[in-house]
Amino acid sequence: MIDVLVVDDDFRVAEINAKYVGKVPGFRVAARAHSAAQALASVQRGTIDLVLLDHYLPDQTGLELVHRMRDQGHGTDVIMVTAAGDVTTVQAAMRLGALHYLVKPFTFAALRTRLDSYAALRRTVDRVGGRGIAGQEQVDRIFSALRTTPAPASPGLPSGHSEPTTDLICRVLHHAKHPLSAHEVAAETGLSRSTAQRYLRHLEQAGRLRLSLRYGDTGRPEHRYAWVAP
């Protein structure tokens, strides 16, 4: 089994990511951490094979944590799982040896693809490592083990819509105990209200959400959306 440390300052996101990891054969969640200090303490115990690491942590950034890990001699593998999508952070993660970089929001399928390629990498290294010295063919095999094939876009999505964002909104509505407004969905997902409204409108038109109106003192009804069970 590959022991995974899930690091995210948001307890709910950490729980979702941990459940994702638990669904992938060969992987198990060994610990969760919500700060860089907690994460480093888990790594120092020496039982972690892989860190799923958020960049935005309350005490240090994820990349600063990786710096500390490397300075202390910890070669624990890292996959970045973060909303930080700027090129500077991505390049810095590559230079520090991050094996993959997954931008939030993402689907279970996207994470599983990365975890499967990581497992393939470990198997390949174990096979090649038994020979002591790797030739070019073995080196190429090691590097190719990390390659992933991006999942095709969903054919039913309009232009400008992404599958990860659609899945994120669907998860929020699916677990909601009552209909939510676009403002509430935006607050739950971290999206702008206009973006949330655009996705909600599409999902309602596709029959995946039910629209209801709630009238207040202003006379203008508030649009509220509820999950429609398949």
Side-chain angles (χ1 to χ4, degrees):
M1 296 293 288
I2 296 174
D3 288 322
V4 180
L5 169 63
V6 176
V7 184
D8 200 291
D9 66 319
D10 189 317
F11 285 74
R12 295 173 302 173
V13 174
E15 184 63 25
I16 291 172
N17 292 347
K19 288 180 178 178
Y20 279 176
V21 172
K23 292 168 64 177
V24 181
F27 290 82
R28 65 185 173 194
V29 177
R32 298 174 181 81
H34 308 292
S35 68
Q38 292 176 356
L40 185 60
S42 293
V43 171
Q44 288 171 336
R45 285 193 284 271
T47 59
I48 303 299
D49 299 308
L50 174 67
V51 181
L52 291 188
L53 181 59
D54 187 19
H55 182 59
Y56 298 119
L57 300 174
D59 47 350
Q60 278 188 316
T61 67
L63 294 186
E64 288 172 339
L65 170 60
V66 179
H67 265 297
R68 291 183 64 188
M69 288 167 51
R70 302 304 183 233
D71 286 345
Q72 294 183 14
H74 301 295
T76 311
D77 293 321
V78 173
I79 293 178
M80 298 297 295
V81 179
T82 176
D86 59 284
V87 175
T88 300
T89 302
V90 174
Q91 287 181 322
M94 292 174 62
R95 289 166 182 151
L96 285 171
L99 298 179
H100 281 299
Y101 198 107
L102 198 54
V103 180
K104 298 177 183 177
F106 55 86
T107 63
F108 166 66
L111 178 60
R112 176 165 187 166
T113 298
R114 274 69 178 180
L115 293 180
D116 285 343
S117 73
Y118 173 71
L121 171 67
R122 287 173 62 99
R123 291 192 298 268
T124 303
V125 170
D126 287 343
R127 287 197 298 267
V128 174
R131 304 174 185 175
I133 299 176
Q136 187 61 52
E137 180 182 350
Q138 288 75 35
V139 171
D140 291 342
R141 194 174 303 161
I142 291 172
F143 274 86
S144 65
L146 275 177
R147 294 174 186 163
T148 59
T149 302
S154 294
L157 289 179
S159 176
H161 286 63
S162 73
E163 183 178 354
T165 302
T166 301
D167 287 348
L168 176 63
I169 291 177
C170 286
R171 284 202 305 270
V172 168
L173 269 298
H174 180 67
H175 293 292
K177 296 180 180 179
H178 53 78
L180 301 179
S181 66
H183 177 76
E184 290 169 325
V185 171
E188 287 287 332
T189 59
L191 301 169
S192 68
R193 186 185 183 283
S194 61
T195 298
Q197 183 65 65
R198 181 160 49 88
Y199 277 81
L200 290 168
R201 189 180 302 112
H202 164 69
L203 290 169
E204 187 267 328
Q205 292 172 351
R208 300 175 68 180
L209 302 179
R210 183 178 64 253
L211 171 65
S212 61
L213 301 179
R214 187 173 73 177
Y215 290 86
D217 297 334
T218 62
R220 184 175 182 179
E222 180 184 49
H223 290 65
R224 301 184 69 81
Y225 298 86
W227 180 255
V228 176

